C-alpha cells in the first residue's frame, strides 16, 4: 500500500458498536471480546495541545507539538501535530510520517495536520 | 482486619546525592525509621521496598532482598514493589494489608529512587514508559506533555490562569523553606515566576503552557515507615499514627480515552473509598499531601479528593485556603514541586510528612492541631491512584 493511502484504524466492538483507539481486549461497555477494524476517517478536530521543549531521548525535533484530536465518531487520539500554528477546535486530518526513534529504531505512525 | 499503626518513620534529604548509592539512601531512611520506632531488628518479619527504576537507572533489581540483608533483618519475608511513580504508596499498601490481615506483625516499608544518574532527556523518556506504548509513548508523549495538554484544557474550561499555577509553586516553595529534607530551598513569588525577565529567574517553557516552575525537579531520596498492629503500638511509641483509610483505583491507560479529559476519576474513586473506610469526610481533613508533579495537578486533585468543588480549586488557592494556617493546608512539606520527586519514594515521603504533622513534630511548618491527614500518589498521569487517610492515635 502506498503511504498516502494508509488510513488510521480503530477497533469496533462487534456486539455494541463502540469504537476504540487504541485497541482493548475486552469492551469497556459490554465486555465483548470480539472487535473488527474500522477506518477512523480523515476528519477530526483539535481538543487540546502542547509545545514540548523537554523532549524525550529519541526525539530530535524541538519543540515537539503534541495534541489530542477527536474524530467525528467521538473516538479520540493523541499524536504529533505538523504545525505549531494551531488552536483548540481547529479541523485536523491524520497524515503518515516519521515519529521518533525507540532504541535507535525509527518509528512511523499517524500525525495530525491542519485540514485547511 | 486488624487496625494498623505507623510507629516509626524516617527519610533522607531529597536532592542530588552524588556520593550515596540507592542502597545507601534506602538504608539511611530505614535505620532512622527503626530507631524512631524503638523496635529491635529481630522483630521485623516483613519488608516491602517501593521503587520504579532501579533496573534501568542503577543496574540493580531485588532491592528488598538486598536491603534486608544490609540491615540484618534476615530471614524476614520481603518483596520489591513497582508501581511507577506510585511505588512508595503501593509498598505501604502492601505493608498495611500484611499487618491488617494478621499474617505479619512488624513490617518495614522503604521506598527510594536515585535518578540523578543520567541526562534530562533520558529521565523524561524513562518516566514516559508509564504511558500507552503505541498510542502515547511512540508519539513522543511524556508526562510534562500530558500535563501541558491537561492544563490548556483546564484553563479553557475553568478559567484557571498562569497566575494560579504560579501560586501553587510559590506556596510550595515557601513551605519547603521550612522543611530541612526538601530538595529546593528557594523563595519565589508569584511575580518572580510570571515575569522572569524582571526577576531574573530561569523559567523556560517545558510543555506550553507549563514552564520550569510548574514542574517538579528530578531528585534522589528515600523514605521509610514501620507498621505494627494498633493495639501494640503504645508499647513502642507515645503517639502512634493510625492508617484509618486506604483506597486505590485505576483508569484507562491512554489519557485521551478518559470520558472527560479534565477529570481524574481514579482519584475520585480512590479518595471516596479511603474516606468511606476511614469513616471521615474531606471536610474533616486537617492536612493533605497531594501529588503536585505539575502545578495544575495540585489544583485538580484538591477538587477530585473532595476538598473543593470541581473547577473551584484555583479560587480556594487564591483565597489562601491551602496555605499553612488556611482551612485545608496542602503540601506543607513543599510537595513534589519543592520537597522533590524521587519517583518511587514520593508516596512514602508523603506519609512520613503526615506522620510528623499528626505527631506535632513538623517544626516551623507545623499545621496546628492536625489530627487527620490525607495523601494521594499518582502512577503516571493518574491511571493508577493510591490514597490514604491517617489519624493521630491517642
Ligand atoms: Zn461492546
Amino acid at each position: 500500500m502506498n503511504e498516502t493511502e494508509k488510513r488510521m484504524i480503530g477497533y469496533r466492538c462487534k456486539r455494541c458498536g463502540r469504537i476504540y483507539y487504541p485497541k482493548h481486549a475486552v469492551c469497556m461497555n459490554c465486555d465483548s471480546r470480539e472487535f473488527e477494524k474500522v477506518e477512523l476517517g480523515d476528519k477530526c478536530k483539535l481538543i487540546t495541545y502542547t509545545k514540548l521543549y523537554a523532549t524525550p531521548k529519541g526525539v530530535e525535533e524541538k519543540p515537539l507539538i503534541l495534541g489530542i484530536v477527536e474524530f467525528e465518531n467521538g473516538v479520540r487520539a493523541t499524536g504529533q501535530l505538523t504545525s505549531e500554528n494551531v488552536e483548540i477546535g481547529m479541523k485536523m486530518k491524520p497524515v503518515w510520517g516519521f515519529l521518533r526513534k525507540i532504541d535507535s529504531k525509527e518509528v512511523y505512525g499517524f500525525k495530525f495536520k491542519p485540514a485547511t | 482486619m486488624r487496625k494498623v499503626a505507623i510507629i516509626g518513620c524516617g527519610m533522607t534529604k531529597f536532592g542530588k546525592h552524588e556520593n550515596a548509592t540507592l542502597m545507601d539512601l534506602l538504608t539511611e531512611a530505614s535505620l532512622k525509621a527503626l530507631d524512631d520506632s524503638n523496635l529491635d531488628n529481630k522483630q521485623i518479619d516483613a519488608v516491602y521496598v517501593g521503587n520504579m527504576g532501579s533496573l534501568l537507572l542503577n543496574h540493580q533489581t531485588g532491592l528488598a532482598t538486598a536491603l534486608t540483608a544490609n540491615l540484618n533483618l534476615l530471614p524476614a519475608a520481603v518483596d520489591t514493589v513497582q508501581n511507577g511513580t506510585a511505588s512508595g504508596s503501593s509498598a505501604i499498601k502492601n505493608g498495611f494489608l500484611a499487618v491488617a490481615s494478621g499474617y505479619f506483625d512488624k513490617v518495614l516499608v522503604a521506598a527510594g529512587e536515585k535518578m540523578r544518574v543520567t541526562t534530562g532527556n533520558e529521565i523524561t523518556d524513562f518516566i514516559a514508559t508509564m504511558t500507552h506504548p503505541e498510542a502515547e509513548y511512540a508519539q513522543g508523549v511524556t508526562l510534562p506533555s500530558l500535563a501541558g495538554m491537561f492544563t490548556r484544557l483546564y484553563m479553557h474550561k475553568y478559567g484557571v490562569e498562569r497566575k494560579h499555577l504560579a501560586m501553587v509553586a510559590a506556596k510550595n516553595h515557601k513551605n519547603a523553606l521550612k522543611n530541612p529534607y526538601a530538595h529546593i530551598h528557594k523563595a519565589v513569588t508569584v511575580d518572580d515566576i510570571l515575569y522572569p525577565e524582571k526577576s531574573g529567574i530561569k523559567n523556560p517553557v517545558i510543555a506550553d503552557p507549563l514552564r520550569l516552575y510548574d514542574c517538579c525537579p528530578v531528585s534522589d531520596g528515600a523514605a521509610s515507615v514501620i507498621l505494627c498492629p494498633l493495639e501494640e503500638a503504645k508499647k513502642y511509641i507515645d503517639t502512634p499514627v493510625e492508617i484509618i483509610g486506604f483506597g486505590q483505583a485505576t483508569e484507562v491507560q491512554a489519557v485521551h480515552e478518559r470520558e472527560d479529559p479534565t477529570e481524574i476519576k481514579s482519584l475520585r474513586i480512590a479518595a471516596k473509598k479511603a474516606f468511606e473506610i476511614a469513616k471521615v469526610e474531606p471536610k474533616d481533613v486537617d492536612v493533605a499531601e497531594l501529588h503536585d508533579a505539575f502545578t495544575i495537578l495540585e489544583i485538580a486533585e484538591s477538587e477530585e479528593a473532595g476538598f473543593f468543588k470541581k473547577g473551584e480549586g484555583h479560587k480556594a488557592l487564591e483565597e489562601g485556603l491551602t496555605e499553612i494556617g488556611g482551612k485545608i493546608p496542602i503540601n506543607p512539606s513543599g510537595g513534589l514541586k519543592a520537597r522533590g520527586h524521587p519517583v518511587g519514594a514520593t508516596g512514602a515521603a508523603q506519609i512520613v510528612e503526615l506522620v510528623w504533622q499528626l505527631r506535632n513534630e513538623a517544626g516551623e511548618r507545623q499545621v496546628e492541631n492536625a489530627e487527620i491527614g490525607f495523601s494521594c500518589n499518582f502512577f503516571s498521569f493518574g491511571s493508577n491512584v493510591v490514597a490514604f487517610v491517617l489519624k493521630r492515635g491517642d
Side-chain angles (χ1 to χ4, degrees), chain B residues 300-313:
Chain B
E301 290 167 20
S302 71
E303 299 163 359
E304 301 289 10
F307 301 129
F308 308 112
K309 283 186 193 144
K310 191 71 191 163
E312 295 189 0

Side-chain angles (χ1 to χ4, degrees), chain A residues 13-18 20 27-32 35:
Chain A
C13 171
K14 281 189 174 177
R15 191 192 291 165
C16 76
R18 186 165 153 182
Y20 295 86
C27 178
M28 295 173 74
N29 185 42
C30 77
D31 281 327
S32 161
F35 295 86

Side-chain angles (χ1 to χ4, degrees), chain A residues 60-78:
Chain A
E60 302 293 338
E61 192 181 319
K62 273 186 201 191
L64 181 71
I65 319 298
L66 289 161
I68 295 177
V69 298
E70 187 171 296
F71 287 87
E72 285 181 322
N73 57 15
V75 173
R76 293 190 213 112
T78 305

Side-chain angles (χ1 to χ4, degrees), chain A residues 38-75:
Chain A
V38 289
E39 288 188 7
L40 292 175
D42 58 4
K43 285 182 186 154
C44 54
K45 64 173 185 193
L46 191 60
I47 300 294
T48 183
Y49 64 94
T50 186
K51 295 172 194 174
L52 178 66
Y53 286 84
T55 51
K57 181 187 164 190
V59 176
E60 302 293 338
E61 192 181 319
K62 273 186 201 191
L64 181 71
I65 319 298
L66 289 161
I68 295 177
V69 298
E70 187 171 296
F71 287 87
E72 285 181 322
N73 57 15
V75 173

Side-chain angles (χ1 to χ4, degrees), chain B residues 89-309:
Chain B
S89 286
S90 284
I92 291 177
K93 160 204 173 178
N94 275 271
F96 167 71
L97 295 178
V99 175
S101 74
Y103 201 93
F104 293 122
D105 261 353
K106 312 289 187 309
V107 172
L108 163 69
V109 182
E113 203 79 52
K114 187 167 163 63
M115 307 175 76
R116 302 295 297 251
V117 294
T118 183
T119 56
N121 70 345
E122 288 212 16
I123 287 294
T124 203
D125 189 48
F126 154 64
I127 302 288
T129 58
M130 291 186 290
T131 66
H132 193 286
E134 291 84 31
E136 294 180 324
Y137 180 83
Q139 301 285 338
V141 167
T142 62
L143 270 293
S145 71
L146 291 173
M149 292 192 282
F150 182 85
T151 304
R152 178 162 269 116
L153 270 181
Y154 229 79
M155 289 173 145
H156 197 73
K157 187 165 176 184
Y158 295 115
V160 171
E161 296 169 38
R162 287 249 308 125
K163 70 171 182 191
H164 298 109
L165 305 178
M167 282 175 196
V168 173
K171 169 181 70 69
N172 291 349
H173 274 243
K174 185 176 149 195
N175 291 348
L177 284 175
K178 296 170 180 171
N179 183 357
Y181 296 90
H183 182 165
I184 297 176
H185 288 127
K186 182 180 178 181
V188 283
T189 65
V190 170
D191 280 355
D192 288 343
I193 295 168
L194 292 180
Y195 309 106
E197 61 286 350
K198 223 163 99 185
S199 63
I201 66 164
K202 279 193 186 132
N203 196 17
V205 177
I206 300 293
D208 148 79
L210 299 180
R211 289 171 173 261
L212 185 65
Y213 274 81
D214 293 303
C215 307
C216 64
V218 175
S219 316
D220 302 332
S224 298
V225 298
I226 310 282
L227 308 175
C228 92
L230 180 67
E231 57 184 22
E232 279 183 56
K234 283 277 192 176
K235 283 203 292 196
Y236 305 102
I237 191 163
D238 292 338
T239 314
V241 169
E242 187 187 347
I243 299 177
I244 56 169
F246 156 71
Q248 183 174 15
T250 38
E251 239 296 21
V252 284
Q253 194 183 6
V255 171
H256 70 244
E257 282 204 279
R258 293 180 184 176
E259 282 168 46
D260 179 339
T262 58
E263 293 188 358
I264 308 166
K265 204 163 77 178
S266 45
L267 170 54
R268 207 179 317 147
I269 296 168
K272 189 165 177 271
K273 177 81 179 175
F275 284 127
E276 265 173 25
I277 299 282
K279 297 190 178 67
V280 299
E281 293 179 35
K283 67 171 171 52
D284 302 320
V285 173
D286 300 305
V287 55
E289 284 284 312
L290 304 184
H291 190 101
D292 60 323
F294 306 98
T295 46
I296 190 68
L297 280 180
E298 183 175 300
I299 295 171
E301 290 167 20
S302 71
E303 299 163 359
E304 301 289 10
F307 301 129
F308 308 112
K309 283 186 193 144

